Amino acid sequence: MATRWGICSTGFIGHDFTVALKTLPSGEHQVVAMAARSLKDAQEFAKKHSISRAYGSYEELAKDPDVDVVYVGVIHPYHHGTYLLFTNAKKNVHLESNSETPSVVLLQAVWTRFFPASAEIRRLLAQKELGDLKLVVIEFGVPLMHLVRSLKKELGAGTIIDIGLYCLQFISMVYNGEKPESIKATAVWLINEIQFKEPDHMSLTCNINLYYTPVDSVRSKLWFWGVPETVWSPTSLDVNGKVTQYPLPEPGLPLSYMNGTGMCYEAEEVRQGLLKGLKESSVMSHSDSMLLAELKDEICRQVGVVYSQDSK
């Protein structure tokens, strides 16, 4: 039986997630309903994606008995309240990545963690095929200044809360959830530079004003004693000079963001979790989400960024 999805979002990320779902077998994943804050927007989205049911409120989607799991792709400040709406209605929730929410049912959508290239990095590290990890350097830049939410603090603007979490999750993943010994964060407007010590060293730089690596928009380098650097990106992995490509499924509609169909891997993780009766993923667990929230909070504290939601 197919996993029946409800989509709570008509934004760019909701569009891409729906396109990604359509790359999976229809006998395993079906989008049966969607909701927006206005019925007109919901109907337009539903027509575009051939979704049979459209609701003009999130509450109506929460009451739909035919929905197994809801993808919540609303903007950052509304994650927590929307998440609670659906979980209080006993719905499984797949929450778009953001560490403002204290807990989720089943899975938090830190999408690049589920890519095949990420799975291979975890395998290499777990089996010690490259030795002991000594240094991680991450650069992530993608132009987002054309988006209103990237400029308004009340909408959750900020490099760490927007794209920096993808860098933080990669660091957390390769160090197997170990908490850094220390953090030193600096920021210049929309650029964050962060250095960690854990017990070796790592650093990340993220920027929402320009691309750093136009091909993939994010690149991570890992150094081990006695071997060449290992370079990870969402669609390729360079280990000892041998490059392996991990092409993503072709989209049925134009995407809003680069590599958007890669969200199909997290969707399949949701399905497998539901079939097994799990409440969280071993790839992205509740403790992983809590560590990301803790790291984000400390970085924001150091650079003096405070959101109104922080006091709630």
Side-chain angles (χ1 to χ4, degrees):
M1 181 178 177
T3 298
R4 299 170 300 179
W5 288 87
I7 306 296
C8 178
S9 167
T10 59
F12 293 148
I13 198 71
H15 165 82
D16 282 8
F17 186 80
T18 305
V19 172
L21 282 174
K22 295 297 181 70
T23 69
L24 296 167
S26 60
E28 298 178 2
H29 295 267
Q30 295 178 4
V31 183
V32 299
M34 76 81 48
R37 287 176 292 180
S38 79
L39 182 58
K40 179 182 177 182
D41 289 344
Q43 290 173 335
E44 290 178 355
F45 188 97
K47 181 179 179 181
K48 183 176 184 178
H49 292 279
S50 301
I51 302 171
S52 59
R53 272 169 278 181
Y55 298 117
S57 71
Y58 302 156
E59 289 79 7
E60 291 175 278
L61 180 60
K63 296 175 182 177
D64 190 325
D66 295 327
V67 172
D68 299 317
V69 57
V70 178
Y71 174 76
V72 175
V74 298
I75 61 175
H76 301 158
Y78 300 103
H79 279 191
H80 191 196
T82 310
Y83 153 78
L84 289 177
L85 168 67
F86 289 111
T87 55
N88 287 339
K90 308 301 181 184
K91 292 295 186 188
N92 296 302
V93 173
H94 185 37
L95 181 69
E96 181 51 42
S97 63
N98 179 264
S99 294
E100 294 300 304
T101 300
S103 62
V104 298
V105 171
L106 193 60
L107 191 63
Q108 185 175 7
V110 183
W111 59 318
T112 52
R113 180 167 290 205
F114 301 90
F115 281 32
S118 296
E120 179 62 10
I121 279 287
R122 292 194 298 273
R123 188 193 69 79
L124 291 170
L125 291 171
Q127 297 183 9
K128 297 286 185 179
E129 291 191 19
L130 299 176
D132 294 326
L133 184 60
K134 293 299 176 183
L135 176 65
V136 180
V137 177
I138 303 176
E139 295 179 342
F140 187 8
V142 58
L144 298 175
M145 297 295 291
H146 60 290
L147 301 177
V148 174
R149 65 172 178 80
S150 296
L151 302 175
K152 293 188 177 183
K153 191 175 180 181
E154 63 271 23
L155 298 182
T159 51
I160 283 298
I161 201 172
D162 203 331
I163 67 173
L165 285 173
Y166 299 112
C167 304
L168 293 176
Q169 77 81 21
F170 188 85
I171 289 172
S172 173
M173 181 185 74
V174 298
Y175 278 92
N176 199 28
E178 182 182 353
K179 183 179 177 180
E181 293 180 0
S182 63
I183 298 173
K184 182 180 179 181
T186 58
V188 180
W189 195 38
L190 297 174
I191 303 173
N192 284 102
E193 294 186 1
I194 303 151
Q195 293 187 350
F196 299 80
K197 183 179 179 183
E198 185 189 336
D200 303 301
H201 291 82
M202 64 190 81
S203 67
L204 69 87
T205 303
C206 50
N207 184 323
I208 60 172
N209 196 35
L210 51 83
Y211 278 119
Y212 281 169
T213 53
V215 173
D216 292 293
S217 80
V218 59
R219 186 172 296 275
S220 304
K221 297 181 180 181
L222 301 87
W223 278 270
F224 304 82
W225 282 127
V227 297
E229 68 183 26
T230 295
V231 182
W232 173 92
S233 73
T235 59
S236 67
L237 187 61
D238 183 342
V239 181
N240 294 335
K242 180 182 178 181
V243 179
T244 303
Q245 301 292 337
Y246 297 89
L248 303 178
E250 288 295 321
L253 291 172
L255 294 168
S256 306
Y257 298 110
M258 189 175 296
N259 300 324
T261 54
M263 287 187 280
C264 69
Y265 302 113
E266 66 187 45
E268 179 58 21
E269 179 77 3
V270 170
R271 173 173 167 78
Q272 294 304 316
L274 288 173
L275 292 175
K276 296 172 184 176
L278 303 177
K279 290 300 181 184
E280 65 176 0
S281 166
S282 61
V283 177
M284 187 67 202
S285 67
H286 175 68
S287 60
D288 292 326
S289 298
M290 291 296 93
L291 177 58
L292 292 186
E294 187 176 344
L295 295 177
K296 187 275 300 179
D297 288 345
E298 174 59 20
I299 292 165
C300 287
R301 185 193 67 80
Q302 289 192 21
V303 299
V305 174
V306 178
Y307 294 94
S308 60
Q309 292 82 10
D310 293 339
S311 61
K312 296 181 181 179

